[in-house]
């Protein structure tokens, strides 16, 4: 891997997501050698992926080069590689570009889409976990309309214009809102010879309310906003199967849809090699103690989505969201320094800064600890928080410009099929 051994302890960090980056930034100026390994050479700001998928933002504006994160920091290295396995006996990680020894290992690999073992759904539905997947979705949405324009088969056109979003969490709700905005402001102008009223946006939620991790008021308001935008909400319905054409559910309800977007859950992106008893099986997350040490190991830590710190107040671990990842990364930096300097480590304490979701133009719901609000002001708060959280000045500036432009012009300029997507179910028509 062409990384010299120095007298400094070597910390290998797998994953340059929210957790990995926040750790690395907090470790600069320390007497350490830090090696960041990621399968992509960029960090992805996942909360805005849905805007890439719906033509609101360029993919580049929500990605940030990882080499820039470590730029000018002596003894910090980046390697572009997929980590395949951990050998804890040899204190080594096995990667697609070779093996690397570590003194301390930090696993910050985030999460994967959870299809709950359903191979059909995995094969035929669309996910939105990374930039390439969002670009696939963007292409597919637009290709559907191009195809709908050409077909004289009513059923086929219906299917092409029928969108089923599975999962009523923030991702599902935000995507449904953005699609509804497209239906209202963009598609009728782009496809004047197509009856856009035929387009259906369905959100299918297993539970009895949307945004179930937020307040009741946020759930109710988000439902109102979506209904106003013409989205069909199906609650207490579980999607059981999808063969590329028909969505089967736990009720009599079925959908004839050529696009199903799966936003119904994630599990940890665990790396192979560690003992099985350090893994929470149902979630594929590493069990960690309050210092983020993986159960049974003294020099392997896990942070962010892939870490499960089971506490009384968080029996299933912290929510798989950006804030716990950022806070754990920052906190672990102080604990690694403490460990190296033989000082006591401090337990991690999560500060809940609240949660929010946007549901199209001028509409959002925000839950803070002592204040819950919805509507236009919430939308401005949502925009400010997301803009502020983006990494890099250029990204902040580009996103801000795009949002202002889109707002004033009622537009989404990046509705482009740059890289056509061949849907696995296309042959079925
Ligand atoms: C569509 C979507 C919307 C979201 N919206 C919100 C939101 O509004 N608010 C919020 O708080 N949270 C949101 N989240 C969740 C939030 O993005 C995650 O909780 C957060 O990214 C977790 O940070 P992390 O560092 O643990 O993992 P990630 O940010 O996922 O980073 C993991 C990194 O590890 C790398 N990696 C993985 N496996 C390997 C491997 N084997 N080898 C090398 N590299 C590897 C990946 O390439 C990636 O760079 C959203 C997530 C998605 C998918």
């Amino acid at each position: 891997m062409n990384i010299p051994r120095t007298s400094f302890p070597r910390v290998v960090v797998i994953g340059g997501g929210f957790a990995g980056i926040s750790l690395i930034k907090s470790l600069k100026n320390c007497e350490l050698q830090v090696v960041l390994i990621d399968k992509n050479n960029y960090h992805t700001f996942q909360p805005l992926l849905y805007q890439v998928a719906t033509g609101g933002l360029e993919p580049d504006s929500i990605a940030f080069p990882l080499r820039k994160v470590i730029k000018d920091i002596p003894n910090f290295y980046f390697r572009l590689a997929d980590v395949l396995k951990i050998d804890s006996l040899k204190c080594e990680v096995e990667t697609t570009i070779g093996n690397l020894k570590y003194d301390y290992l930090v696993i910050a690999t985030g999460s994967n889409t959870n299809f709950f073992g359903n191979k059909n759904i995995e094969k035929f539905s669309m996910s939105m976990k990374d930039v390439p997947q969002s670009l696939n979705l963007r292409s597919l949405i637009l290709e559907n309309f191009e195809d709908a324009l050409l077909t004289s088969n009513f059923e086929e056109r219906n299917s092409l214009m029928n969108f089923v979003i599975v999962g009523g969490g923030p991702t599902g709700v935000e995507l449904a809102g953005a699609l509804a905005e497209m239906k209202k402001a963009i598609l009728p102008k782009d496809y004047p010879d197509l009856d856009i009223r035929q387009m259906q946006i369905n959100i299918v939620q297993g539970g009895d309310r949307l945004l179930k991790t937020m307040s009741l008021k946020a759930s109710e308001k988000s439902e109102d906003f979506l209904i106003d935008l013409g989205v069909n909400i199906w609650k207490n319905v579980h999607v059981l199967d999808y063969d590329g054409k028909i969505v089967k559910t736990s009720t009599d309800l079925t959908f004839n849809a050529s696009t199903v977007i799966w936003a119904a859950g994630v599990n940890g992106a665990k790396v192979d090699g560690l003992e099985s008893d350090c893994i929470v099986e149902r979630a594929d997350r590493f069990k960690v103690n309050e210092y983020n040490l993986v159960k049974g190991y003294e020099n392997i830590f896990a942070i962010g989505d892939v870490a499960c710190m089971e506490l009384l107040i968080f029996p299933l671990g912290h929510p798989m969201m950006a804030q716990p990842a950022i806070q754990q990364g920052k906190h672990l930096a102080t604990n690694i320094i403490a460990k190296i300097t033989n000082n006591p480590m401090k337990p991690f304490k999560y500060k809940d800064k609240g949660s929010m979701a946007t549901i199209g133009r001028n509409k959002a719901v925000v839950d803070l600890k002592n204040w819950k609000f919805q509507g236009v002001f919430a939308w401005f708060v949502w925009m400010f928080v997301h803009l502020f959280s983006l990494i890099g000045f250029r990204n902040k500036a580009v996103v801000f410009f795009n949002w202002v432009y889109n707002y004033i012009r009622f537009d989404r300029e990046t509705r482009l099929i740059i890289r056509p997507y061949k849907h696995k179910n296309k042959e079925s028509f």
Side-chain angles (χ1 to χ4, degrees):
M1 280 210 190
N2 195 18
I3 294 171
R5 254 303 187 189
T6 62
S7 54
F8 294 151
R10 178 185 283 164
V11 181
V12 172
V13 182
I14 318 173
F18 286 102
I21 286 196
S22 121
L23 168 74
I24 282 179
K25 282 184 170 171
S26 311
L27 281 178
K28 67 177 176 192
N29 305 325
C30 297
E31 298 203 324
L32 289 169
Q33 184 187 64
V34 176
V35 183
L36 169 63
I37 307 177
D38 200 297
K39 58 186 174 186
N40 298 311
N41 78 339
Y42 56 86
H43 163 82
T44 305
F45 191 80
Q46 292 175 359
L48 292 179
L49 281 172
Y50 81 96
Q51 295 212 3
V52 172
T54 50
L57 289 175
E58 296 96 340
D60 318 40
S61 58
I62 64 155
F64 189 80
L66 287 173
R67 286 200 174 273
K68 207 166 165 179
V69 175
I70 57 155
K71 196 176 100 176
D72 297 334
I73 312 180
N75 288 319
F76 280 43
Y77 296 82
F78 172 73
R79 290 293 178 265
L80 177 63
D82 205 332
V83 175
L84 306 171
K85 205 171 171 187
I86 300 163
D87 186 334
S88 61
L89 292 176
K90 289 192 194 158
C91 286
E92 204 170 83
V93 288
E94 197 181 296
T95 82
T96 41
I97 55 165
N99 294 4
L100 185 70
K101 290 226 179 275
Y102 60 80
D103 296 307
Y104 297 95
L105 178 66
V106 182
I107 310 168
T109 44
S111 55
N112 292 322
T113 306
N114 187 357
F115 296 97
F116 302 97
N118 191 315
K119 294 285 169 211
N120 264 354
I121 293 177
E122 184 171 351
K123 182 173 174 193
F124 292 111
S125 71
M126 305 295 288
S127 311
M128 209 180 47
K129 267 301 280 167
D130 53 35
V131 171
Q133 286 178 354
S134 295
L135 286 175
N136 286 344
L137 185 54
R138 183 177 87 182
S139 293
L140 179 67
I141 292 168
L142 299 169
E143 285 168 44
N144 279 353
F145 285 96
E146 297 298 333
D147 290 346
L149 196 62
L150 300 180
T151 183
S152 50
N153 181 327
F154 180 79
E155 215 177 285
E156 185 183 345
R157 192 162 57 241
N158 254 348
S159 171
L160 287 163
M161 293 171 74
N162 198 6
F163 294 84
V164 177
I165 299 165
V166 190
T171 302
V173 164
E174 292 186 340
L175 183 63
L179 276 174
E181 293 289 357
M182 273 183 100
K183 178 180 177 182
K184 208 163 92 177
I186 311 286
L187 298 169
K189 285 187 238 155
D190 275 6
Y191 301 93
D193 27 12
L194 203 59
D195 184 359
I196 294 297
R197 285 172 305 178
Q198 226 179 313
M199 177 184 182
Q200 294 296 315
I201 304 156
N202 301 284
I203 183 159
V204 183
Q205 164 71 328
D208 60 358
R209 64 181 177 109
L210 301 180
L211 301 179
K212 67 176 185 326
T213 54
M214 294 185 71
S215 64
L216 199 57
K217 187 78 191 154
S219 298
E220 286 168 1
K221 262 298 187 194
S222 62
E223 286 182 23
D224 291 348
F225 289 150
L226 285 174
I227 290 166
D228 279 353
L229 284 167
V231 174
N232 310 315
I233 303 171
W234 309 95
K235 291 184 284 188
N236 296 310
V237 177
H238 291 269
V239 168
L240 300 181
D241 207 359
Y242 177 51
D243 62 1
K245 277 174 135 182
I246 308 287
V247 181
K248 289 191 183 141
T249 73
S250 52
T251 68
D252 291 343
L253 185 72
T254 56
F255 300 94
N256 185 5
S258 62
T259 309
V260 170
I261 302 142
W262 189 257
V266 288
N267 49 10
K270 70 175 162 67
V271 184
D272 289 342
L274 300 188
E275 294 295 332
S276 57
D277 68 346
C278 72
I279 289 160
V280 182
E281 244 181 65
R282 67 185 143 69
D284 275 351
R285 295 169 90 186
F286 290 109
K287 287 180 195 165
V288 296
N289 66 11
E290 67 268 48
Y291 311 111
N292 283 94
L293 266 172
V294 174
K295 187 184 170 205
Y297 298 91
E298 285 303 314
N299 61 346
I300 303 180
F301 300 88
I303 49 176
D305 279 2
V306 79
C308 183
M309 193 184 288
E310 289 168 340
L311 301 169
L312 262 183
I313 40 165
F314 293 108
L316 302 176
H318 294 99
M320 292 163 90
M321 288 170 65
Q323 268 306 319
I326 293 167
Q327 292 179 29
Q328 283 181 3
K330 205 169 172 185
H331 187 79
L332 179 59
T334 57
N335 274 343
I336 287 180
I337 296 159
K339 204 165 165 67
I340 286 165
T341 51
N342 288 322
N343 285 307
M345 295 196 288
K346 290 196 178 125
F348 172 72
K349 282 198 184 71
Y350 175 51
K351 287 187 201 79
D352 188 354
K353 294 188 173 172
S355 46
M356 54 188 72
T358 178
I359 308 110
R361 195 182 171 84
N362 291 338
K363 299 178 192 80
V365 291
V366 174
D367 282 0
L368 302 181
K369 201 173 171 196
N370 298 316
W371 189 24
K372 302 183 181 7
F373 50 101
Q374 305 85 28
V376 181
F377 180 62
W379 187 65
F380 277 107
V381 170
W382 179 94
M383 281 201 297
F384 176 78
V385 168
H386 282 73
L387 210 52
F388 184 76
S389 311
L390 272 163
I391 299 179
F393 175 75
R394 180 196 164 274
N395 287 358
K396 287 183 172 73
V398 173
V399 169
F400 179 69
F401 173 79
N402 268 295
W403 282 350
V404 172
Y405 183 89
N406 293 349
Y407 189 79
I408 295 170
R409 310 255 322 167
F410 285 83
D411 210 349
R412 282 168 182 262
E413 289 267 317
T414 54
R415 46 189 194 281
L416 311 166
I417 308 171
I418 300 273
R419 190 188 57 181
Y421 179 70
K422 173 102 175 70
H423 201 304
K424 295 176 200 86
N425 62 11
K426 272 238 164 112
E427 308 82 46
S428 54
F429 287 114

